[in-house]
Amino acid sequence: MSPSISSFHSFHVQQVCFAFVILLHVITPTPLIATAIKSTGGNETDRLALLAFKQKIMYDPQGVVSSWNDSFHFCEWDGVTCGRLHSRVTVIDVGSRGLVGTLSPYVGNLSFLRGLRLYNNTFKGEIPPELGRLFRLRELRLGNNSFEGGIPATLSRCFELKHIGVAYNNLIGKIPTELSSLSKLTYLAVHVNNLTGELSSFIGNLSSLKTLSASCNLLEGAIPDALGQLRNLTELGLGENSLSGMVPFSIYNLSTLTVLSLSDNQLHGSLQPGIGMMLPHLQIFEISRNFFTGVLPLSISNLSELITLQVGFNNFTGKITINFGGLKNIRRILLYYNKLGSGEPDEMNFMSSLVNCSNLEYLELTANLLRGILPNSIGNLSSKLVVLLVDQNFLFGTLPSTICNLENLRTLWLYYNTFRGIIPTAIGNLKKLQRLALNTNDFSGKIPNSIGNLSLLLGLYLGNNRLEGTIPSSLGNCQKLLTIELFENNLSGTIPIQIFRLSSLSIELSLSQNHLSGTLPSEVDNLINLATLDISINNLSGDIPNGLSKCTSLEFLHMEGNSFHGSIPASLRALKGLRVFDLSRNNITGQIPEFLGQIALTSLNLSFNNFEGEVPITGVFTNASVISVAGNSRICGGISELKLPRCAIKKSKEVKMSLAHILIISVASILVGITLISSFVFCWVKKKRKAPSTGSQMEEQFLRVSYQRLLKATNGFSPDNLIGAGSFGYVYKGIFDQEGSTVAVKVFNLLRHGASKSFMAECETLRNIRHRNLLKIITSCSSVDFQGNDFRALVYEFMPNGSLERLTDTFQSSSNGIRGTIGYTAPEYGLGSEISTDGDVYSYGICLLEIMTGRRPTDGMFRDGINLHSLARMAIPDNVMEILDQVLLNNNEEEVDATENMTRQCQNRANKMKEFMVSVVKIGVACSMESPQERMDISNVVHELESVRDKLLQH
Ligand SMILES: *[C@@H]1O[C@H](CO)[C@@H](O)[C@H](O)[C@H]1NC(C)=O
Ligand SMILES: *[C@@H]1O[C@H](CO)[C@@H](O)[C@H](O)[C@H]1NC(C)=O
Ligand SMILES: *[C@@H]1O[C@H](CO)[C@@H](O)[C@H](O)[C@H]1NC(C)=O
Ligand SMILES: *[C@@H]1O[C@H](CO)[C@@H](O)[C@H](O)[C@H]1NC(C)=O
């Protein structure tokens, strides 16, 4: 298995927009003379317009517009600038002030307005067409808000406009052709909106245009030839649209271009051989994810100002002939996923020219057709290099130990090549390494102990090589590891106990197909976050440890092809998330446990063991195509497709009940109980009081958040914001602009089985959430990302100090930081666990307690850690009567006095009734334990209830 490349590259894709936007910020506003003359005159229209502007602001955290009052002339109001002579408003500048509201159309009355700067706020609603009346307007900066609707065509009347910035909004419709009249426009930024239609040739009329940024929209059609008329254009960003056709030759006439960003479109054709001469000032050249063909022109060597060369995911072919030596500023060379390579012996020579690129940070050659060796000079690459990817090529030879000089490397991928020889000991020098992928090569020798120095390592991929010796115990020092893959090597000896203490492991631990011996130690119980454990095809022996039942995040458990013996521990019933369980080719004895039928397994292989007795016939056992029990000579029964012999003595058939049955029976029990209570109440209680209905309505309002906003908040899901990962996906730290609040964004990996379901369950549950100690969900996002994939995320309050990582990685419900009742739903659902019968048991328990106490779990009295469950638990056994619903009985003194002349029989029944009540409350408490493991088993619940009922009915 290879490390997931897609997440990595999508990071760069997202940079298409961002890299560009950053450059745009360099442009500074036209300086306007700020004046603040005290004036008694002033124009009433302006004053009214400003007050109307103020009135539409709903939230003003910095008190900007709330200070706008008649104590001061409006020319002195915060953010307002007036003309020196006429005292009319010339500029409104309230950018980045956290404002939330809409933009009043009255602004169209500020006829002297030259600058309207509202960027980085949360203005919603339409951009008022009245702005078209501002014939003196030069600067319109509305970027990074939540404006909706179209770009008003009336702006075409603002002939003085030089700057239109409406990027990062929710605008729809076309870019209005009317704007072609704006002959003074130098800057037009509409990126990150939902604009549609073609980029029409009117753009060619905007003869002053220097910047055109329209990336991240839904534009289609061809790039208009007329763009070539914009002789002043320096920045052209059209990435992440649906543009098609070839790049018009006229673009190459734009000799002043510094940014040309066309990534993520459907463009085809080849690059002009003379590009390096024609566009000599290019700094950012991004054309990834298109259908470009042909060679990378040699003339790229002339682009001496180039910072980013991003041509990944195209069909470029041939030898890399570029001499990078003259590209002194280059930081990112991203050539991945092409067909570059010629097979000529000198085709890796371009590497030596890279030595001169002292600013290089990213070198990504993944998935090309490169043949050759990595030269020793690789150690002389820029010390700033953080990512070096040469995986999925045809590279061979040994790994030069000089590579270990690149001490800022965070990611080193060499996988899927044919490198041979040892892994250099000096690898331990790469102290910043987070991902090391050497898998599927011909590496031999030992795994160096020094690997334990890589304390920041998240993923170690060494599978499918010829590594030998033992697994270094020093790996236990790498306490951030999420994944270890060592499969298909010649490793021997026991598995160091230190590996099992890495509770960070949450994605995969794969040691399969080695010669490992010894037992699976009980310390495996630390791997509480792990989704995949594969120790198959080794020489492991001993019992299956009970501790495995603590690994409740497990989805894939492969133990086949070893010599495990003993029976399957009953405690493994806790592994509710298990999907694939392979225990074949061991020496396991005993019965095939019934509980396997209650786990939603999609594949179960128990073949070639020593199982005996009856094969269950529920759950996974009903589908012969996903189970295998072959090669167990002493088993019988099962579904007929298994063609097993009948079992000689049929055991008394266990009553198998669906939850519905159980509920019916238990409700019936309760009803029986209540009926008896009622008759009892007849002789004991006279007055009947209704419990006060305090159940306050709890309706959390979940505002949906857009993908774009999450993208913004997390810096484009930047790896720097990554704070955790687990089998469900990733968690990023994010900052929401307008509130400035720090959040945790949990992004579900929908390719993983069950993630979508888990998202839905989590949403549903958290809709009803009511507990102060539980992390508060702020919002959710169910959308489509820029690649058209489904995208699901939940946004939580951010909890620093790693407690959040427990929420994301750990779904074990005994975790310390998180406890509590969420209405009727099990706490673990709130933490992302899948729907399970344990959760139903919880809900049932809460229902039971509600019936008994007459209080809803959402009752206002429950706060500060007290909830329905803890209330009931504390009352057991002596104070149970105190918490019972007054409807059922009334135990105040007065009433007790009134019962003095009760009959003896009545007293007996009263005692019985108390017993009954205590038992039922006990069951309610046992069912609603916070931790699923501690909860009562549903079959015991039924048993208990029946015996309680029977006892009661004996008289
Ligand atoms: C007007 O705003 C200023 C500044 O916030 C404040 O000090 C003053 O009290 C306000 N005056 C009135 C009449 O509200
Ligand atoms: C200003 O604009 C608004 C809305 O566009 C309009 O209703 C109002 O009459 C205009 N004139 C004055 C003097 O406020
Ligand atoms: C958007 O505005 C927020 C403040 O509201 C700011 O923190 C953020 O950097 C801005 N984003 C961009 C892309 O300018
Ligand atoms: C399997 O276990 C049985 C007893 O439990 C033992 O007799 C037998 O030798 C074992 N077979 C192997 C291959 O280990």
Side-chain angles (χ1 to χ4, degrees), residues 675-743:
T675 313
L676 291 176
I677 291 165
S678 311
S679 59
F680 167 67
V681 164
F682 175 71
C683 67
W684 193 18
V685 180
K686 295 172 190 156
K687 203 162 71 190
K688 188 169 145 183
R689 269 208 311 257
K690 207 171 156 60
S693 156
T694 49
S696 62
Q697 271 297 332
M698 178 64 190
E699 290 202 14
E700 289 260 0
Q701 202 58 42
F702 288 106
L703 296 171
R704 283 289 184 88
V705 64
S706 71
Y707 176 70
Q708 273 170 20
R709 274 197 70 203
L710 291 186
L711 196 66
K712 235 194 293 187
T714 57
N715 225 336
F717 299 110
S718 148
D720 293 339
N721 290 34
L722 193 66
I723 51 175
S727 58
F728 59 84
Y730 296 92
V731 177
Y732 298 85
K733 183 175 168 178
I735 296 176
F736 274 134
D737 334 324
Q738 65 266 37
E739 305 91 336
S741 53
T742 307
V743 295

Side-chain angles (χ1 to χ4, degrees), residues 81 93 125 139 285 291 294 317 331 333 351 470 571 586 608 696 701 794 859 888:
T81 305
D93 184 353
E139 237 189 295
F285 182 51
F291 305 110
T317 48
R331 287 196 216 150
I333 299 176
M351 291 290 283
T470 56
S571 58
N586 279 289
F608 299 96
S696 62
Q701 202 58 42
L794 290 174
D859 190 302
L888 302 182

Side-chain angles (χ1 to χ4, degrees), residues 521-583:
S522 62
E523 277 84 351
V524 73
D525 67 1
N526 290 306
L527 302 180
I528 53 179
N529 301 315
L530 191 62
T532 299
L533 174 61
D534 189 346
I535 49 172
S536 63
I537 318 185
N538 276 293
N539 301 329
L540 299 168
S541 57
D543 286 332
I544 302 174
N546 251 316
L548 202 52
S549 64
K550 292 278 178 4
C551 309
T552 49
S553 298
L554 276 180
E555 291 179 38
F556 300 89
L557 178 53
H558 284 278
M559 302 178 68
E560 70 268 24
N562 281 291
S563 302
F564 288 111
H565 53 67
S567 57
I568 298 181
S571 58
L572 292 199
R573 69 169 64 239
L575 302 183
K576 292 290 197 299
L578 213 53
R579 295 294 166 264
V580 174
F581 184 24
D582 193 337
L583 201 47

